[in-house]
């Protein structure tokens, strides 16, 4: 007898996962707790262990398929079950018949009650893109259409197809026969464009072009970025800070710090410290949009962007306001090392309330980062560069850095955002070569 294996709950708020790779194929022996497949969620990558020892009987969910928590992904035949079950093959057709008769009833129960229950986000997206929701297959409970279903249609470029079908429905009865005749006549020509069932991008490939499959991580990043841009109206502002004193301080301490603490003293902990202290002063920057309310977060958990060769991860420094420069430096080092080793846990990625982006490490001098949804804002610390400026009524060479802020305009306006940036700037400019850290 085969045992069903379902998608496990991989986190408190995780509702689905994408099968990125099967580690077993039908017929392979499987030991209990042995990983059978790799799964990517919007928060973390994980392995799904076998629940029993036996033989992989059947794989239900294919690689690349997104599966809801609790949904069947494969079946494992328990050790010794095949020999004992073999004579009872006659039972199989009966069970199959039962499934066939029960399936339509289950569908009928779910679809009428749930499919046409649309959330405000789904309705808004459908209205903005003129999408007929009746044409979308829902993946939510009872066939309900989720926001992700609508975004999937938009990203796949199928919107035009949906619009075309809507336009066809609106044709007059007199026009319909002619349109049908024309469609029939042209069918052999137009059929190849959609015959493979794959989403069409409208991009014509030329000789030498390469198609690179989208990994699960890249797909998740794309979905989160589109979600943030769709839901949060972004605004952007920037100030320039004189960090000559900070540069002198860091250059004075970095060698001894590395020797004593075992980690490098970069500028990032100083940036985070200035941001955290300013968030206490302006709590609306440390908030999330709650639909009909704004939620000011008590904890200050700083998300930091850490890039690898093929992806971007955003681990979180928990309770960053309780840490010193030394504590922040060690926590940054720990999270960066775990990211590069591919060992980040779900806990490492959860709970961020504000994001500090260090694009200056790539040499960038200005950027417009996308907000880490559902946070209220994200700040980018750009490269520190030497510039000739007017200082004490004289031309002087100073170390300058641009501080760029993207903000959710539903929560924040330019006045508060500007004051926050000025507070960060003043804190960074307050450092000098003799400052105690």
């Amino acid at each position: 007898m085969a045992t069903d294996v379902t998608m496990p709950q991989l986190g408190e708020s995780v509702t689905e996962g994408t099968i990125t790779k099967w580690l077993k194929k039908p017929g392979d022996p499987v030991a209990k707790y042995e990983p059978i497949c790799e799964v990517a969620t919007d928060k973390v990558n994980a392995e799904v262990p076998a629940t029993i020892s036996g033989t992989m009987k059947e794989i239900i969910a294919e690689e690349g398929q997104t599966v809801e928590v609790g949904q069947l992904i494969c079946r494992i035949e328990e050790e010794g079950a095949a020999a004992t079950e073999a004579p009872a093959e006659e039972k199989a057709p009966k069970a199959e018949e039962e499934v066939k008769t029960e399936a339509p009833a289950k569908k009928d129960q779910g679809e009428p009650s749930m499919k046409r229950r649309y959330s405000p986000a789904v309705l808004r997206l459908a209205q903005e893109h003129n999408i007929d929701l009746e044409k979308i297959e829902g993946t939510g409970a009872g066939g309900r259409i989720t926001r992700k279903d609508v975004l999937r249609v938009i990203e796949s470029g199928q919107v035009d197809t949906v619009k075309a079908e809507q336009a066809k429905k609106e044709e007059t009865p007199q026009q319909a026969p002619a349109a049908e005749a024309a469609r029939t006549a042209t069918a052999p020509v137009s059929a190849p464009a959609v015959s493979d069932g794959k989403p069409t991008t409208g991009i014509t490939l030329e000789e030498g072009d390469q198609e690179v499959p989208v990994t699960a991580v890249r797909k998740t990043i794309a979905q989160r970025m589109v979600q943030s841009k769709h839901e949060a109206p972004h605004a952007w502002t920037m100030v320039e800070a004189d960090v000559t004193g900070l540069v002198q301080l860091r250059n004075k301490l970095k060698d001894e710090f590395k020797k004593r603490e075992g980690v490098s003293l970069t500028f990032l902990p100083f940036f985070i410290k200035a941001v955290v202290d300013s968030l206490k002063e302006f709590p609306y920057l440390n908030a999330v949009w709650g639909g009909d309310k704004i939620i000011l977060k008590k904890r200050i958990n700083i998300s930091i962007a850490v890039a690898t060769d093929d992806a971007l991860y955003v681990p979180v420094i928990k309770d960053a306001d309780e840490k010193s420069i030394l504590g922040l430096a060690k926590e940054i080092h720990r999270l960066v090392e775990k990211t590069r080793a591919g060992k980040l846990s779900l806990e490492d990625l959860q709970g961020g309330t504000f994001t500090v982006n260090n694009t200056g490490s790539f040499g960038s001098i200005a950027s417009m980062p996308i907000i880490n949804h559902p946070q209220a804002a994200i700040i980018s610390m750009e490269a520190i560069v030497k510039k000739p400026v007017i200082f004490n009524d004289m031309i002087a060479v100073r170390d300058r850095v641009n501080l760029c802020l993207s903000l959710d305009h539903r929560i924040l306006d330019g006045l508060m955002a500007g004051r926050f940036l000025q507070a960060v700037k003043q804190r960074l400019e307050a450092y000098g070569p003799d400052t105690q850290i």
Side-chain angles (χ1 to χ4, degrees):
M1 178 180 178
T3 298
D4 292 347
V5 179
T6 60
M7 176 65 73
Q9 182 82 42
L10 297 172
E12 184 178 351
S13 59
V14 176
T15 59
E16 62 184 20
T18 300
I19 306 287
T20 56
K21 184 179 181 181
W22 277 104
L23 305 175
K24 297 290 181 181
K25 60 181 183 299
D28 283 353
V30 176
K32 189 174 183 179
Y33 303 130
E34 183 182 11
I36 56 174
C37 68
E38 296 175 349
V39 175
T41 72
D42 59 351
K43 296 182 180 298
V44 70
N45 296 335
E47 294 176 335
V48 176
T51 53
I52 61 170
S53 296
T55 303
M56 178 62 74
K57 178 74 173 178
E58 183 182 9
I59 289 177
I60 306 298
E62 300 177 353
E63 290 185 0
Q65 183 177 345
T66 300
V67 181
E68 290 189 4
V69 171
Q71 189 173 335
L72 178 65
I73 60 173
C74 71
R75 293 188 175 95
I76 297 175
E77 190 170 69
E78 195 168 0
E79 284 180 341
T84 56
E85 290 294 323
E89 285 184 357
E90 293 180 358
K91 295 178 180 178
K94 185 177 179 181
E96 188 175 342
E97 288 177 6
E98 291 176 358
V99 172
K100 287 180 178 178
T101 55
E102 290 177 1
K106 186 178 180 181
K107 188 176 181 181
D108 291 344
Q109 288 173 359
E111 287 193 353
S113 60
M114 298 300 292
K115 180 172 173 59
R116 292 185 174 81
R117 288 189 181 182
Y118 306 130
S119 68
V122 167
L123 289 173
R124 180 172 55 79
L125 284 173
Q127 186 176 21
E128 289 176 353
H129 296 273
N130 194 22
I131 294 175
D132 182 2
L133 293 175
E134 292 292 329
K135 296 293 183 183
I136 298 178
E137 183 177 352
T139 60
R144 186 173 185 179
I145 297 172
T146 66
R147 181 177 46 76
K148 288 184 178 180
D149 295 328
V150 183
L151 290 174
R152 186 179 63 248
V153 171
I154 296 170
E155 293 167 12
S156 67
Q158 294 177 336
V159 175
D160 290 338
T161 303
V162 175
K163 289 178 180 177
E165 291 182 5
Q166 279 185 286
K168 189 168 66 177
K169 287 172 62 178
E170 293 168 356
E171 289 176 354
T172 62
Q174 290 77 10
Q175 292 172 319
E180 177 63 20
R183 186 191 65 77
T184 305
T186 58
V189 178
S190 59
V194 295
S195 60
D196 58 1
K198 296 180 180 178
T200 56
T201 61
I203 299 174
T204 302
L205 292 178
E206 298 179 353
E207 185 176 357
D209 292 350
Q210 295 183 9
E211 292 183 283
V212 180
V214 177
T215 64
V217 173
R218 176 52 53 188
K219 190 178 295 183
T220 299
I221 292 172
Q223 290 172 344
R224 296 296 291 267
M225 295 299 100
V226 170
Q227 178 187 11
S228 182
K229 275 291 190 179
H230 271 291
E231 294 192 9
H234 284 53
W236 181 81
T237 185
M238 182 184 83
V239 300
E240 186 179 40
D242 187 330
V243 291
T244 305
L246 173 60
V247 171
Q248 293 172 344
L249 174 65
R250 185 252 181 180
N251 290 341
K252 175 183 174 182
L253 299 177
K254 64 179 184 179
D255 292 336
E256 181 188 349
F257 190 91
K258 178 67 179 290
K259 183 178 180 180
R260 185 180 69 241
E261 306 297 343
V263 298
S264 297
L265 181 62
T266 67
F267 290 109
L268 187 54
F270 294 96
F271 292 154
I272 293 177
K273 181 68 175 172
V275 167
V276 165
D277 290 343
S278 300
L279 288 175
K280 292 179 181 176
E281 190 176 351
F282 298 95
Y284 275 73
L285 274 291
N286 195 55
V288 296
W289 178 255
D292 59 348
K293 53 185 173 289
I294 295 171
I295 302 169
L296 306 181
K297 304 297 290 185
K298 180 179 180 182
R299 297 180 70 183
I300 298 179
N301 299 332
I302 300 298
S303 303
I304 57 172
V306 181
T308 63
D309 288 338
D310 59 351
L312 178 69
Y313 296 89
V314 191
V316 178
I317 300 174
K318 303 290 173 57
D319 300 314
D321 53 322
E322 299 176 1
K323 292 180 170 55
S324 63
I325 294 294
L326 172 61
L328 291 170
K330 288 190 172 181
E331 188 64 1
I332 292 168
H333 176 79
R334 184 185 73 83
L335 292 173
V336 170
E337 290 297 306
K338 289 187 74 173
T339 302
R340 291 173 178 167
K343 296 182 178 178
L344 284 174
S345 65
L346 185 62
E347 176 65 18
D348 290 326
L349 295 162
Q350 286 183 324
T353 59
F354 187 92
T355 298
V356 175
N357 198 17
N358 190 28
T359 45
S361 61
F362 308 133
S364 167
I365 57 170
S367 62
M368 298 176 64
I370 297 176
I371 297 167
N372 187 9
H373 183 272
Q375 298 173 12
I378 176 174
I379 190 170
S380 275
M381 302 298 188
E382 305 298 333
I384 298 174
V385 296
K386 289 187 178 298
K387 285 185 177 180
V389 297
I390 303 299
F391 183 75
N392 290 338
D393 292 332
M394 294 183 290
I395 297 177
V397 176
R398 306 289 292 179
D399 292 295
R400 312 280 288 189
V401 62
N402 290 328
L403 314 178
C404 303
L405 183 76
S406 294
L407 56 121
D408 186 339
H409 219 328
R410 295 173 301 179
I411 301 175
L412 299 164
D413 296 319
L415 178 62
M416 187 178 294
R419 286 175 175 172
F420 169 77
L421 274 184
Q422 285 296 328
V424 176
K425 167 185 162 77
Q426 290 169 10
R427 286 185 165 90
L428 291 176
E429 292 182 343
Y431 283 105
D434 298 322
T435 303
Q436 298 296 315
I437 64 172

